[in-house]
Amino acid sequence: MAALRIRSTSAVLLLTCVASLVSASSQVASSHSLQSNSRTAAPSAATSSGLPRLVDIAKSTGIEFSHLSSPEAKYVVESMSGGVALIDCNRDGWPDIYFTNAPSVDIALTGKKARSALYRNNRDGTFTDVSDEAGVAVDQDGNAQANMGAALDDYNHTGRFSIAITHFNEQYTALFRNDGNMNFTDVSYASGIAQSTTSYVGWSDEFIDFDNDGWDDFFLVNGHVYPQVDSIGMDSKFREPKLLFLNQRDGKFQNISKQVGPAIQEL
């Protein structure tokens, strides 16, 4: 079963709202919640309508992360938001937070990087950036990627949630295997996922037991953002197929997209 995942550009603001969901999910956290255990954030109070009151607690948590998304920007690729994932990386019963990110056009042209980030829950309402030591900030070659969707799953039956991230074309979909103790390894190529995903613009992804064998498989949807690619002789196409990978139960996946019927390959 995949852990709780949120698609949002203002993830920290939403954390106080989803805290009750986090505490109810034994796959993500124990009975603790971010809000009720925060020593620095003001307690949430119901609004006059009886609905939960949202409180921005970003500054008090120690999270210093800026998701690069500019709806007013010239290029559509800069206007797209990425994903956020709540994951108990070290199995201490307290949910940690993984943010995806991608560079703007100006940042890419200057050679700078926009890194994704993993924040460890300090169990006192604050978080610490452990992205570099955990091995999830960049790909296996040390390059920042244009991150989009985030999916979490214990695909290899270790009791630990790993992280899969979709990306822009010419970048592979990344699979970071959770090795325990806040350590991850980029096994994108070793798992067989990277080879089939490099030419596509990946969006949402999900782990699901497609064949009901008790081992979660991997599904993702693709599609380019520029219709013009169809007329300029590029390998990429505007309409792109979905992809389905069958879990081989040994840490590897097989691309079975063309073997499971036309619905997967329809553009």
Side-chain angles (χ1 to χ4, degrees), residues 82 98 100-102 114-116 137 145-149 165-167 171:
Y98 182 76
T100 70
N101 212 354
R115 47 195 298 280
S116 297
Q145 296 178 298
N147 302 320
M148 294 295 292
I165 309 292
T166 59
H167 299 105
Q171 299 176 344

Side-chain angles (χ1 to χ4, degrees), residues 63-83:
I63 295 176
E64 297 180 358
F65 181 84
S66 296
H67 182 86
L68 299 175
S69 178
S70 304
E72 74 285 353
K74 176 180 179 181
Y75 300 102
V76 65
V77 68
E78 296 179 283
S79 67
M80 301 179 297
S81 61

Side-chain angles (χ1 to χ4, degrees), residues 1-3 151-164 174-179 184-193 206-209 213-218 245-253:
M1 179 179 179
L152 311 175
D153 195 74
D154 179 18
Y155 73 92
N156 52 352
H157 289 197
T158 62
R160 300 183 292 266
F161 280 108
S162 298
I163 308 173
L175 177 59
F176 293 107
R177 184 188 65 210
N178 189 337
D179 298 325
F184 290 79
T185 301
D186 185 342
V187 295
S188 311
Y189 277 99
S191 67
I193 288 178
E206 183 63 88
F207 286 94
I208 180 173
D209 189 0
D213 66 349
W215 293 75
D216 286 346
D217 311 299
F218 184 54
F245 293 87
L246 187 68
N247 194 327
Q248 301 298 292
R249 311 183 190 185
D250 59 359
K252 298 180 180 180
F253 290 83

Side-chain angles (χ1 to χ4, degrees), residues 227-236:
Q228 297 89 337
V229 298
D230 289 339
S231 59
I232 58 178
M234 294 181 60
D235 291 336
S236 298

Side-chain angles (χ1 to χ4, degrees), residues 92-115:
D92 64 352
W94 295 75
D96 311 297
I97 311 175
Y98 182 76
F99 297 90
T100 70
N101 212 354
S104 65
V105 172
D106 288 340
I107 289 178
L109 290 176
T110 59
K112 296 180 180 179
K113 298 180 179 180
R115 47 195 298 280

